[in-house]
């Protein structure tokens, strides 16, 4: 069984990632090693390595493998960085990051998902991931600054706190747009007050809900 999953994972990497231009060796190695099937709901395990997002409960989704790999590559990690993720969800993206760097911090607003993610992260040997339940549009102030920040939910605009928590030279990757379609943006802090901004590709994420995201009242 686990052998079948590792075959499926290798096919996923070859067909969905390498063929679409993902070549960063650290990202490829991480995508080859993290057991994605343990992060999806049991009913979807047989589809864990398919080219699609999947439900994880609480109306949230685990992102498509390509999107996880693309966003990870966009952070341009070398292996020594301190990284923040907003939107833990299943914990899969955090586990991918933890395969590449030692210091991973991740924030989730839904306590049930955070509990589930914690359990799976511990199970797969990613106990070093630091997980907090809070509104990630504030970032993680006590742990600033970060070399890289990734937001895995779509935001109407880029929260100022996240830009402020980047080191000089640090990168922030975030989907920005309306609640249906977004573009993935990458910001780079060039000095204290200056950021460059690039648009990388179109994407579709569940909403970032919080003080500097979409209002909570729309979703209660
Ligand atoms: N990265 C996840 C998938 C993210 S789905 C994975 O690998 O599985 C987006 C997640 O962002 C959801 O779990 C949602 O609850 C969470 N989220 C939305 N708004 C948030 C906020 N303000 N702070 C923290 N998490 C948030």
């Amino acid at each position: 069984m686990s052998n079948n999953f590792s075959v499926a994972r290798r096919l996923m990497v070859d067909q969905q990632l390498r063929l679409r231009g993902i070549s960063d060796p650290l990202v490829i190695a991480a995508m080859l090693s993290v057991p994605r099937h343990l992060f999806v709901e049991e009913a979807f395990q047989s589809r864990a390595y398919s080219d699609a997002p999947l439900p994880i409960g609480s109306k949230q989704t685990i992102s498509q493998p390509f999107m996880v790999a693309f966003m990870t590559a966009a952070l341009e990690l070398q292996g020594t960085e301190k990284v923040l993720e907003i939107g833990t969800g299943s914990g899969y993206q955090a586990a991918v990051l933890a395969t590449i760097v030692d210091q991973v911090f991740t924030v989730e607003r839904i306590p049930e998902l955070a509990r589930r993610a914690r359990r799976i992260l511990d199970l797969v040997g990613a106990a070093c991931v630091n997980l907090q339940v809070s509104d990630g549009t504030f970032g993680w102030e006590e742990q600033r600054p970060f070399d890289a920040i990734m937001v895995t939910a779509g935001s109407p605009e880029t929260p100022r706190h996240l830009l402020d928590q980047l080191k000089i030279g640090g990168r922030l990757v975030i989907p920005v747009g309306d609640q249906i379609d977004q573009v993935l943006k990458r910001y780079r802090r060039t000095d204290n007050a200056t950021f460059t901004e690039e648009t990388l590709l179109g994407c579709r994420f569940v909403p970032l809900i919080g003080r500097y995201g979409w209002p909570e009242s729309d979703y209660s």
Side-chain angles (χ1 to χ4, degrees), residues 4-22:
N4 284 347
F5 284 127
S6 73
V7 170
R9 195 153 60 239
R10 183 161 288 281
L11 283 174
M12 169 192 86
V13 167
D14 288 343
Q15 297 174 354
Q16 300 171 38
L17 309 185
R18 283 202 172 98
L19 278 181
R20 293 190 189 130
I22 305 288

Side-chain angles (χ1 to χ4, degrees), residues 51-202:
D51 190 14
L54 290 171
I56 54 170
S58 307
K59 293 196 216 142
Q60 307 303 317
T61 55
I62 179 173
S63 305
Q64 176 196 23
F66 173 75
M67 191 53 73
V68 172
F70 185 89
M71 290 177 79
T72 309
L75 294 180
E76 298 176 345
L77 301 172
Q78 307 291 316
T80 55
E81 294 85 352
K82 180 173 182 178
V83 182
L84 173 65
E85 178 200 20
I86 307 302
T88 313
S90 68
Y92 176 66
Q93 174 72 73
V96 168
L97 290 168
T99 307
I100 300 175
V101 301
D102 293 334
Q103 289 185 278
V104 178
F105 294 81
T106 183
V107 181
E108 171 57 51
R109 69 180 279 273
I110 300 177
E112 293 76 12
L113 285 179
R115 269 197 294 277
R116 180 179 177 276
R118 177 77 274 163
R119 188 170 49 74
I120 305 169
L121 285 166
D122 292 347
L123 183 73
V124 303
C128 61
V129 170
N130 301 279
L131 196 165
Q132 169 175 283
V133 177
S134 65
D135 175 0
T137 66
F138 289 92
W140 193 326
E141 182 66 26
E142 299 75 18
Q143 289 295 340
R144 69 183 287 175
F146 297 95
D147 298 285
I149 302 177
M150 173 190 294
V151 181
T152 61
S155 187
E157 50 199 51
T158 304
R160 185 75 224 172
H161 290 283
L162 300 183
L163 291 167
D164 285 345
Q165 290 176 19
L166 282 179
K167 287 185 192 170
I168 308 288
R171 288 80 61 201
L172 164 66
V173 173
I174 178 171
V176 179
D178 62 31
Q179 292 187 19
I180 299 167
D181 292 308
Q182 302 97 37
V183 290
L184 191 67
K185 289 191 177 283
R186 174 168 58 193
Y187 297 86
R188 205 182 292 271
R189 187 172 208 164
T190 48
D191 66 38
N192 240 342
T194 329
F195 297 84
T196 61
E197 179 186 328
E198 298 160 83
T199 297
L200 303 180
L201 82 177

